[in-house]
Amino acid sequence: MEKLIITVAPTGSLPRKEQNPAVPITPQEIADCALRCEDAGAAILHIHVRDQDQNPSDDPKLFRQVVELLEGRTELILQISTGGRAGSTLESRRARLEVPCEMASLTTGSVNFPRSAYVNPPELVEGLALKMKEQGIKPEMEIFDVSMIQNALRLRDQGLAQDPLHFDFVMGLPGAQPATIDQLVHLCHYLPPDATWTVAGVAASQLVMGTHAILMGGHVRVGLEDNIYYRKGELATNEMLVQRIVRLAGELGRQVATPAEARRILSLPPR
Ligand code: MG
């Protein structure tokens, strides 16, 4: 089995310091947290930024600050979120792809959350994919339902994305696919043979789905973006969540990839 790539998603769009004081909000906090998570065993940093009121921001300057604070200090693969909670237009979501990074997330379809719709129409998805292609950024296909895999494959067939594709299965969000092993196996059936995948379980399912992924040869995303608790009633830090996956991987006989090894596994150019 390939070594295990651990992605940390430390900030996200939703959790606030009132809910968990360990959520890094400012670019400095995000960069410092990223370095601690790299020491703990993370290979990829999934980046969201916030404004001064902790609200999700689409300001490319904030993304650039995070990247610049890390420059020369980290081997982490930097992955910028193009998620839509921070601003929904193609322009707002494309502008941050000017910031130097190796990867970016790309949600390939739409989903109904309980009180809002996360709308990603085909022209927006294609526009983001085209920009990533132009910038030499590898997309991480964010998969909320199996149909989104089909959409990702269509992007590839249109020449807007390249094999080997990389997928992130977001599981356990209300309104989207359930966090079950059945669903995880089902998703894997629809991947091209050379694809790589990671799983982002939401809330308590983060640990469960991450464990399945370790055993199945997938990769794992953890972090406060998706889950603010270590266990019921006990708040987590990002480092704690990374460290736990490292320990589990060790117990289950799976070695953890360094960022350089992750680049090779993901077919990214070496640095
Ligand atoms: Mg995200």
Side-chain angles (χ1 to χ4, degrees), residues 178-234:
T180 63
I181 193 166
D182 290 355
Q183 177 66 6
L184 184 53
V185 170
H186 179 62
L187 291 164
C188 289
H189 282 316
Y190 288 89
L191 298 182
D194 61 351
T196 50
W197 59 273
T198 191
V199 63
V202 172
S205 77
Q206 186 168 87
L207 174 60
V208 181
M209 300 316 294
T211 306
H212 289 320
I214 294 170
L215 293 167
M216 289 168 66
H219 304 283
V220 179
R221 170 168 131 174
V222 289
L224 301 182
E225 167 164 351
D226 305 318
N227 167 39
I228 61 171
Y229 292 103
Y230 191 77
R231 58 172 72 86
K232 197 172 165 60
E234 183 185 342

Side-chain angles (χ1 to χ4, degrees), residues 240-256:
M240 285 165 68
L241 295 170
V242 172
Q243 286 160 352
R244 178 162 63 183
I245 293 298
V246 170
R247 283 197 304 276
L248 277 169
E251 291 295 326
L252 297 170
R254 187 103 185 261
Q255 286 183 296
V256 174

Side-chain angles (χ1 to χ4, degrees), residues 46 48 81 221 225:
H46 175 76
H48 286 255
S81 169
R221 170 168 131 174
E225 167 164 351

Side-chain angles (χ1 to χ4, degrees), residues 6-200:
I6 302 175
T7 299
V8 65
T11 302
S13 298
L14 297 178
R16 303 175 66 88
K17 291 225 188 255
E18 301 89 279
Q19 296 163 285
N20 183 332
V23 181
I25 299 292
T26 66
Q28 187 69 56
E29 286 175 344
I30 294 168
D32 291 345
C33 179
L35 294 174
R36 292 193 301 272
C37 290
E38 180 179 18
D39 286 344
I44 301 178
L45 173 68
H46 175 76
I47 305 171
H48 286 255
V49 293
R50 306 287 187 91
D51 65 18
Q52 290 186 332
D53 301 317
Q54 299 190 49
N55 295 316
S57 171
D58 64 349
D59 185 350
K61 283 199 227 71
L62 291 169
F63 285 97
R64 191 172 290 275
Q65 273 178 38
V66 174
V67 170
E68 286 178 357
L69 284 165
L70 287 168
E71 212 174 290
R73 300 175 67 200
T74 184
E75 292 295 315
L76 284 169
I77 297 167
L78 303 185
Q79 180 189 86
I80 286 186
S81 169
T82 64
R85 291 199 213 235
S88 55
T89 66
L90 173 59
E91 282 63 39
S92 114
R93 291 166 67 174
R94 190 164 51 188
R96 65 193 87 154
L97 296 173
E98 300 285 344
V99 177
C101 63
E102 292 168 90
M103 296 182 81
S105 61
L106 179 61
T107 305
T108 56
S110 302
V111 56
N112 271 5
F113 295 138
R115 281 179 300 280
S116 63
Y118 181 24
V119 180
N120 296 292
E123 60 276 15
L124 180 141
V125 176
E126 289 164 12
L128 288 172
L130 176 62
K131 182 70 177 176
M132 291 182 203
K133 184 183 171 188
E134 289 168 353
Q135 299 287 106
I137 297 170
K138 178 162 181 157
E140 176 175 274
M141 306 297 184
E142 304 295 330
I143 303 303
F144 291 70
D145 270 309
V146 72
S147 59
M148 292 195 196
I149 296 177
Q150 309 308 310
N151 294 344
L153 299 180
R154 192 171 324 112
L155 288 175
R156 178 199 61 188
D157 296 343
Q158 292 168 322
L160 290 168
Q162 251 191 333
D163 285 321
L165 298 174
H166 178 66
F167 294 85
D168 176 41
F169 303 141
V170 182
M171 306 188 78
L173 261 187
Q177 64 196 346
T180 63
I181 193 166
D182 290 355
Q183 177 66 6
L184 184 53
V185 170
H186 179 62
L187 291 164
C188 289
H189 282 316
Y190 288 89
L191 298 182
D194 61 351
T196 50
W197 59 273
T198 191
V199 63

